[in-house]
Amino acid sequence: MEDRVSIDSVTKYYGSKLVLDRVSLSVRRHEVVCLIGASGSGKSTLLRCINRLVEYDHGVIRLDGVATEDPSFGKVGLYRRIGIVFQAYNLFPHMNVLDNITLAPRRVHGVARRAAEDKARELLAGFGMSEHALSYPEQLSGGQQQRVAIVRALATNPQVLLLDEVTAALDPELIGEVLRIVRQLKDDGMTMVIVTHEMGFAREVADRVCFLEGGRIVEQDAPSRLFASPQNPRTQKFLQRIIEAGRL
Amino acid sequence: MRPDAASPAFVGAAEEALTDSPPPPPARRRTSLRDQIVPIFTSLASVALFFGVIAYVVTSAPEWPRIKRQFFSLDAMIEAFPAVLRGFWINIQVWLIALVAIALWAMVLALARSLRGPWFAPLRIFAIVYVDVFRGLPALLLVLLFGFGIPALNLPGLPSSGLFWGTVAMILCYAAYASEVYRAGIEAVHDGQRMAAKSLGLTQWQAMRYTILPQAIRNVLPALLNLTVALQKDVALLSVIGVRDAVREAQIYTAQTFNYSSLIAAAVLFMLATVPMARLTDYISRRDRLRRLQGAA
Ligand SMILES: Nc1ncnc2c1ncn2[C@@H]1O[C@H](COP(=O)(O)OP(=O)(O)O)[C@@H](O)[C@H]1O
Ligand SMILES: [Mg+2]
């Protein structure tokens, strides 16, 4: 069983609005899959279905072959094994960096304070952020906050990392430092599903790119092929617009 | 031809830019002693003039000596002061006990109301009805109802003191307001915080306890302090059910001597307690606003 995550015909409605339409997608171990598409196409919703942050109506998602609604995951097993990072960082503003990172290990997974903090400091050091351990989020730049958010998602040793437009809220000069961490994670073999508007980055880091429109995966391929010669007319149109906007 | 890095013109321009020092900063306007003193003096003078005129108009009225005797008699104040101060100590005690009880009970109500899920519907409905009822009734009515009504029932096993039940009435009443303040604070916390907490595996309760509530309380602290000031004054309502608080003691003196200076003495005590709290509230609000401005920058 090579697939880390397998999404099988997932359908999701918000009220009567169809947001995901029979989406199927498999992500192999150590694979990096990028989701691209216009806003409102269902990228965030799909990402949040993977760790059941939102519930879907039909279909099944498996983690290492086990359906994610399986009781063996317990109440929090899925959240421990799948980390997610949001566009707006969503750090807890009243906690310093160390407390942000150790909250889940300590309060959810019962790790002793000392061990949790050691692990957090080790992670921070690994990403060159040791000096921020005791800072509060408001004292950090957007790029630093987002890097902390990534470390927080990694604190429980997840096997999959979901990134939802993690650079979209950042000033251009801060995007690089966040993308550098993502590259580093790829080199470490992390399995990732990444929603991004940074086409250059998607082309560089993705093993596979999926184009979504209207809640469906219209086309998926290796980035070299998808960006150079998209097969589907709708993918062509989307990429054409991106090129016109100077984003590719 | 476009100038590139190797062209002499470009190098020259760069060198010029480096060796030339930028224009100096604007000279700081030197403030002479006179410049500093004149504004202070002006405001002092205008304050003195403003209040001086008021004082003059009041004290030059033909009724002033009578007013002074009735309201501002130092002798009467000194005579009434021990009893009024003793009464004020009751105000402070009731206030402190009620504060703690209100903070806790209001929190329970606010949490009950913000719980999600069908199982919690009864708790939610209870909290909503409670707040509607106790916010809708005059505090005075509640104090009378509890302070006179319940002791009159002679219920076995329950205290029969008016002081006790009057305090309970204040707690029930103010908790309704305070729970609405808490709830506003809870609802103002950005939804992304809840989502982040959930994605980390925190339960609904843990998310509340560790992430939502601390932010909510910090945001509504000024509003809670305002309620605290209002409660400090409203404890005086207990005087209508015979609790010998500062107002009651002052009234007793007035009834015996037909002099109102004892009430003014009580008023001064209330001011001494509430004004510093009002300033503290201002200070915290200002600090929060500054922090938010810095956070946004
Ligand atoms: N909580 C929600 N309630 C109702 N509709 C939603 C909600 N979240 C997203 N949607 C709708 O679902 C669609 C897909 O949204 P989303 O997954 O956020 O798209 P994307 O991330 O690609 O921009 C949009 O039309 C959006 O309006
Ligand atoms: Mg989105």
Side-chain angles (χ1 to χ4, degrees):
Chain A
M1 180 69 56
E2 262 257 86
D3 288 342
R4 183 120 258 177
V5 176
S6 80
I7 300 169
D8 188 0
S9 199
V10 162
T11 300
K12 160 84 185 166
Y13 286 89
Y14 273 119
S16 61
K17 181 177 162 62
L18 181 60
V19 179
L20 292 177
D21 182 8
R22 289 159 290 172
V23 172
S24 293
L25 171 68
S26 291
V27 185
R28 292 185 311 277
R29 280 176 196 217
H30 313 304
E31 192 181 20
V32 175
V33 173
C34 280
L35 306 180
I36 62 171
S39 88
S41 56
K43 307 179 298 292
S44 297
T45 306
L46 178 58
L47 213 58
R48 288 166 194 189
C49 285
I50 296 176
N51 66 345
R52 301 185 77 84
L53 214 46
V54 302
E55 296 294 331
Y56 41 91
D57 301 303
H58 303 283
V60 58
I61 298 180
R62 294 187 184 82
L63 180 64
D64 288 330
V66 182
T68 53
E69 63 259 35
D70 194 278
S72 66
F73 283 109
K75 265 186 157 39
V76 297
L78 207 58
Y79 294 125
R80 190 185 67 67
R81 293 172 59 178
I82 305 179
I84 186 166
V85 183
F86 305 97
Q87 171 175 343
Y89 338 132
N90 298 359
L91 293 178
F92 304 123
H94 60 295
M95 296 182 183
N96 68 24
V97 165
L98 214 51
D99 289 342
N100 260 284
I101 298 171
T102 57
L103 179 69
R106 289 177 57 204
R107 304 295 179 189
V108 180
H109 307 291
V111 179
R113 178 188 191 115
R114 194 56 194 281
E117 290 191 350
D118 287 349
K119 160 94 183 168
R121 284 185 188 280
E122 190 183 309
L123 280 169
L124 284 172
F127 295 112
M129 290 190 293
S130 291
E131 74 268 37
H132 302 311
L134 299 179
S135 304
Y136 282 82
E138 67 190 13
Q139 299 169 317
L140 301 177
S141 74
Q144 290 166 334
Q145 289 190 51
Q146 193 58 291
R147 282 144 72 201
V148 171
I150 293 174
V151 170
R152 181 173 73 176
L154 294 172
T156 54
N157 288 325
Q159 293 146 341
V160 181
L161 193 60
L162 311 173
L163 305 179
D164 193 354
E165 299 194 33
V166 291
T167 57
L170 297 177
D171 291 334
E173 76 272 17
L174 301 177
I175 291 177
E177 61 190 54
V178 173
L179 296 186
R180 195 162 58 238
I181 287 198
V182 180
R183 270 185 214 109
Q184 197 175 335
L185 287 168
K186 179 187 164 75
D187 293 343
D188 292 345
M190 177 63 81
T191 308
M192 289 187 278
V193 182
I194 302 175
V195 173
T196 185
H197 285 308
E198 300 287 330
M199 296 303 154
F201 179 68
R203 175 153 41 189
E204 168 203 335
V205 78
D207 297 304
R208 193 146 43 101
V209 177
C210 302
F211 169 65
L212 270 79
E213 192 178 89
R216 313 195 60 160
I217 294 183
V218 171
E219 183 168 358
Q220 53 176 310
D221 211 334
S224 52
R225 281 197 298 272
L226 187 118
F227 287 118
S229 53
Q231 301 300 302
N232 192 294
R234 285 184 289 179
T235 317
Q236 291 164 2
K237 211 165 136 201
F238 174 76
L239 291 175
Q240 191 56 43
R241 282 205 306 272
I242 296 277
I243 291 167
E244 281 163 11
R247 301 283 298 271
L248 191 66
Chain B
M1 190 181 96
R2 272 177 50 200
D4 58 39
S7 85
F10 185 88
V11 170
E15 256 171 14
E16 193 179 8
L18 280 177
T19 52
D20 247 19
S21 47
R28 253 190 72 195
R29 217 163 65 83
R30 270 224 246 123
T31 47
S32 67
L33 205 57
R34 211 178 127 247
D35 289 345
Q36 290 176 359
I37 284 178
V38 166
I40 297 177
F41 185 78
T42 311
S43 46
L44 279 180
S46 68
V47 167
L49 186 70
F50 182 75
F51 289 101
V53 167
I54 292 178
Y56 176 77
V57 169
V58 170
T59 56
S60 62
E63 290 84 5
W64 172 244
R66 209 153 53 84
I67 294 172
K68 192 180 167 201
R69 209 168 46 244
Q70 286 285 10
F71 289 89
F72 300 102
S73 153
L74 204 59
D75 290 342
M77 284 187 190
I78 291 171
E79 201 183 347
F81 190 71
V84 171
L85 186 64
R86 200 170 345 109
F88 194 68
W89 176 230
I90 301 227
N91 289 70
I92 296 289
Q93 283 174 298
V94 169
W95 175 57
L96 290 176
I97 291 168
L99 262 190
V100 175
I102 289 164
L104 295 176
W105 178 224
M107 180 63 73
V108 171
L109 289 168
L111 290 178
R113 186 141 181 202
S114 53
L115 285 174
R116 291 168 188 185
W119 281 105
F120 299 118
L123 289 179
R124 268 200 308 272
I125 292 170
F126 170 80
I128 291 170
V129 172
Y130 177 96
V131 170
D132 281 349
V133 168
F134 282 89
R135 216 171 36 162
L137 296 176
L140 179 59
L141 186 149
L142 287 169
V143 168
L144 288 170
L145 200 59
F146 278 72
F148 282 146
I150 295 185
L153 290 176
N154 272 323
L155 293 175
L158 287 181
S160 63
S161 101
L163 176 62
F164 177 84
W165 287 109
T167 306
V168 169
M170 296 305 296
I171 291 168
L172 294 180
C173 172
Y174 266 78
Y177 289 100
S179 84
E180 285 298 280
V181 172
Y182 280 142
R183 194 167 69 93
I186 289 170
E187 283 178 1
V189 174
H190 199 276
D191 223 32
Q193 295 286 306
R194 267 189 199 85
M195 196 153 49
K198 187 177 178 195
S199 77
L200 290 170
L202 275 72
T203 61
Q204 189 183 200
W205 167 246
Q206 286 175 318
M208 189 57 91
R209 158 86 177 68
Y210 295 113
T211 67
I212 309 294
L213 267 190
Q215 296 180 59
I217 291 175
R218 197 164 76 168
N219 289 341
V220 299
L221 203 53
L224 287 177
L225 283 171
N226 274 332
L227 269 187
T228 303
V229 173
L231 175 69
Q232 210 279 333
K233 296 177 300 178
D234 273 0
V235 169
L237 286 174
L238 297 200
S239 65
V240 301
I241 53 168
V243 172
R244 293 185 69 159
D245 78 322
V247 173
R248 184 75 182 174
E249 292 288 1
Q251 242 180 339
I252 290 171
Y253 181 86
T254 303
Q256 288 165 353
T257 61
F258 301 104
N259 188 300
Y260 297 95
S261 303
S262 55
L263 284 168
I264 299 295
V268 169
L269 288 178
F270 277 102
M271 299 281 291
L272 285 180
T274 51
V275 169
M277 277 194 296
R279 289 292 88 77
L280 176 68
T281 310
D282 290 348
Y283 166 75
I284 290 177
S285 309
R286 200 169 47 236
R287 198 193 55 187
D288 280 4
R289 201 175 50 237
L290 279 179
R291 205 189 53 211
R292 264 194 292 276
L293 283 178
Q294 276 164 0

